[in-house]
Amino acid sequence: MQYENVIFPDSVGFQCTNCGVCCRDEPPDINLKEQQRIEAKGFVNFLEDPKDPSNRNIRRKKDGSCFFLTEENTCKIHDVKPSICILEPFIITDYDNKTNRIFVDLNPLAVINCKGICTGELIVPEVIGKAAQTIVKEFLEIVAKKTGLPVTDKKVSSLTRKLLLRF
Ligand code: SF4
Ligand code: SF4
């Protein structure tokens, strides 16, 4: 299946059941833009280590769950939810920086824990596809800024691919 430049695995059914398991397992690592969007909503003190600019993990509550997870398993920052959370239970497995194609597949950890996989529902490729596109776009912008090169530079897209594969 394909949505614009995002390639999905075939025949994957998924619909989030809002079980909150992924929000308990692993609060996300966010980028600066995502941090700023969350702060613009009035939230403060949500990072694991606010003094370390290289660590943008959202902190856990005492019970280990994400700082933004409510008791009803909803997300307090739904409107500005990090793209990696929207992408869940999928992950980017590759980015072809020559053709600008983004490959997504199920997160192997989610296959075990996510209750929304194989519910018989078809995925909504626009939502997941747009989240994957946003992740790649923001990585490209971050790398371009750090290297001082234009976002369209081949070196930027090649470095972005390496970063994404480590992410
Ligand atoms: S930010 Fe929201 S969706 Fe993401 S892990 Fe936290 S509660 Fe879940
Ligand atoms: S584990 Fe799956 S079904 Fe549960 S909240 Fe996360 S994405 Fe939704």
Side-chain angles (χ1 to χ4, degrees):
M1 189 192 294
Q2 183 161 355
Y3 168 74
E4 296 180 354
N5 60 332
V6 184
I7 320 294
F8 291 86
D10 286 331
S11 318
V12 175
F14 166 72
Q15 188 172 63
C16 183
T17 62
N18 293 321
C19 67
V21 166
C22 56
C23 309
R24 290 190 182 82
D25 278 357
E26 200 175 357
D29 181 8
I30 61 175
N31 66 37
L32 179 60
K33 287 188 173 189
E34 289 172 327
Q35 179 186 342
Q36 289 166 341
R37 285 197 283 266
I38 297 169
E39 285 169 346
K41 290 279 175 184
F43 292 98
V44 291
N45 196 22
F46 52 84
L47 292 179
E48 202 173 73
D49 186 355
K51 289 187 190 135
D52 180 0
S54 65
N55 177 357
R56 287 208 178 82
N57 286 322
I58 290 183
R59 73 182 172 92
R60 291 174 188 264
K61 293 184 289 190
K62 276 186 186 157
D63 66 2
S65 64
C66 174
F67 179 73
F68 293 115
L69 185 68
T70 69
E71 286 185 7
E72 294 77 34
N73 284 340
T74 57
C75 176
K76 276 187 199 165
I77 52 166
H78 185 72
D79 293 350
V80 287
K81 192 185 272 192
S83 296
I84 195 168
C85 299
I86 300 171
L87 196 64
E88 190 71 25
F90 294 87
I91 51 170
I92 294 175
T93 54
D94 204 355
Y95 169 55
D96 184 340
N97 54 307
K98 294 194 180 81
T99 61
N100 192 32
R101 284 187 305 166
I102 304 166
F103 296 85
V104 300
D105 208 337
L106 285 169
N107 180 345
L109 289 175
V111 170
I112 302 165
N113 297 326
C114 174
K115 307 214 179 341
I117 298 171
C118 297
T119 49
E121 302 289 336
L122 290 177
I123 61 169
V124 185
E126 294 94 310
V127 176
I128 296 168
K130 278 182 185 161
Q133 288 171 342
T134 302
I135 289 173
V136 173
K137 178 177 168 283
E138 292 187 344
F139 263 79
L140 283 165
E141 288 167 358
I142 289 164
V143 173
K145 198 171 175 190
K146 281 205 170 159
T147 55
L149 294 167
V151 80
T152 49
D153 192 282
K154 280 182 187 163
K155 196 173 171 193
V156 170
S157 61
S158 164
L159 280 170
T160 296
R161 177 174 184 268
K162 283 186 190 155
L163 270 176
L164 282 164
L165 296 186
R166 255 195 271 150
F167 189 50

